[in-house]
Amino acid sequence: MSRTYKAAVVKEAGAKFEIVEKEIPTGQVLIKVAACGICHSDKFAVHGWMPGITFPHIPGHEVIGTVAAVGDGVEWPPVGMPAGVGWHGGHCMFCGTCRRGNFKLCEKETVAGITADGGYQEYMLCHWTGVVELPEGIDPVAAAPLLCAGLTCFNGIRIQDNLHAGDLVAIQGIGGLGHLGIQFAAKMGYRVAAISSSDSKKELAMKLGAHYYINVSEKPASEQLQALGGASLIVATAPSSKSMEDLVNGLGPDGRLLLAGADAEKLAVSPLQLIPKRAHICGANSGIATDAADTVKFATLNGVESMNEVYSLDQVQEAYDHMLSGKPRFRVVLKMD
């Protein structure tokens, strides 16, 4: 093993990426990175917009690779195991929420690429509780987006206890999250309505598994959803609070609006929109390492595939800017040399 490796570093908030040579560190678990997805939320790391970020900083929370080494006292994972790291980079095991088994809400949660350096590098350290066990022979580029975009949709849908086979699940936004959400919902046995602002993605949405296509430029999504009987679940993936507001009126009895797209603007909703139908609004908070492993297993067994554009680590700035442009179809992934 070489003693040095390349990393894409942001040296101060809002700065451009620089490729630097670093010495391979030691610690809990060392991952040799094969690929890392570039997620829209990485901009929070680049600009220092979240608590716990220090500079210089390395973003990245869709990491696929192999366990290269483990530190003293670490009993798992074994060296050589295919492994990944998602947003949840580990938990403390000792705080109140951890002691109740609610590891995702750990009071001291490590967030890969936010509170700890992430996967825009050839090697990265992580805590063993954040390691995702992956199957042998997995394609690193194909798997990387599943650890965030895929996990958010898959776990967000499967934990809803109001859903029954054949219920209507709507996916708002056919982008990095939405194109995976359509596939997961269809493969889980739900009727799927894809929601977009034009007909430009209709053919793709139907190919991905949607049963209905809703163009909001023709008629509000809520009206079209009610014509289908009302949605048991709407997964809002587009990061626009304004576009989410009408969706509440498209819910059926006990329906839920799951917020997966992050927007800082307030969501204007009246209690009278929720009370009569006993409707809910909730946040999609990805999941822990075992949830990510389940996501990959389900995707592999059921043919759920991410559509990706691939760049090298040396092209990180170009890749990041392309992601911000909103033009990728649909995820951007860094592949290490």
Side-chain angles (χ1 to χ4, degrees), residues 39-302:
C39 180
H40 196 266
S41 56
D42 288 344
K43 70 179 182 181
F44 297 122
V46 171
H47 291 277
W49 289 342
M50 292 186 70
I53 298 175
T54 58
F55 292 91
H57 190 74
I58 302 172
H61 57 268
E62 296 180 345
V63 186
I64 302 292
T66 306
V67 177
V70 296
D72 294 340
V74 177
E75 298 182 7
W76 185 92
V79 172
M81 186 188 84
V85 185
W87 180 270
H88 182 78
H91 44 274
C92 73
M93 303 289 288
F94 304 113
C95 70
T97 51
C98 279
R99 293 200 308 276
R100 291 185 179 274
N102 197 353
F103 302 125
K104 184 63 190 74
L105 299 182
C106 172
E107 297 168 15
K108 299 179 180 178
E109 179 188 26
T110 298
V111 181
I114 301 292
T115 61
D117 283 340
Y120 289 20
Q121 53 182 332
E122 294 175 327
Y123 286 88
M124 71 169 282
L125 281 177
C126 65
H127 193 270
W128 71 268
T129 57
V131 175
V132 180
E133 183 175 5
L134 298 173
E136 293 284 349
I138 194 161
D139 180 345
V141 170
L146 297 177
L147 297 197
C148 179
L151 169 60
T152 299
C153 292
F154 172 77
N155 214 37
I157 295 170
R158 75 163 175 170
I159 65 174
Q160 305 302 324
D161 57 9
N162 67 317
L163 294 179
H164 304 89
D167 278 359
L168 181 62
V169 173
I171 308 295
Q172 177 243 15
I174 307 171
L177 274 76
H179 87 287
L180 291 168
I182 291 170
Q183 295 177 73
F184 279 123
K187 297 294 186 180
M188 288 178 183
Y190 303 118
R191 290 183 299 133
V192 181
I195 303 174
S196 191
S197 58
S198 73
D199 279 335
S200 64
K201 297 178 182 177
K202 182 175 181 178
E203 183 178 351
L204 172 63
M206 305 307 282
K207 184 177 180 180
L208 292 173
H211 302 90
Y212 314 100
Y213 189 85
I214 292 175
N215 180 349
V216 299
S217 69
E218 298 176 351
K219 190 184 294 185
S222 58
E223 292 184 26
Q224 298 185 64
L225 288 170
Q226 288 301 334
L228 296 171
S232 296
L233 175 67
I234 302 173
V235 183
T237 71
S240 167
S241 296
K242 189 65 178 176
S243 68
M244 297 175 187
E245 292 173 358
D246 172 65
L247 298 176
V248 176
N249 295 324
L251 293 171
D254 279 322
R256 298 177 183 179
L257 173 60
L258 183 68
L259 308 181
D263 187 6
E265 296 298 319
K266 293 181 179 180
L267 189 66
V269 176
S270 164
L272 292 177
Q273 293 174 269
L274 304 175
I275 293 172
K277 296 179 181 178
R278 203 164 62 187
H280 301 247
I281 299 176
C282 49
N285 193 13
S286 64
I288 61 173
T290 49
D291 297 320
D294 288 347
T295 303
V296 174
K297 290 176 186 175
F298 186 96
T300 302
L301 288 170
N302 291 282

Side-chain angles (χ1 to χ4, degrees), residues 2-41:
S2 171
R3 293 185 177 182
T4 64
Y5 68 100
K6 292 194 298 184
V9 176
V10 179
K11 292 190 174 179
E12 59 184 18
K16 299 291 186 181
F17 285 98
E18 297 182 32
I19 302 296
V20 302
E21 287 283 333
K22 294 173 65 74
E23 290 190 2
I24 293 178
T26 58
Q28 276 255 329
V29 180
L30 181 68
I31 303 290
K32 186 180 189 302
V33 180
C36 182
I38 295 182
C39 180
H40 196 266
S41 56

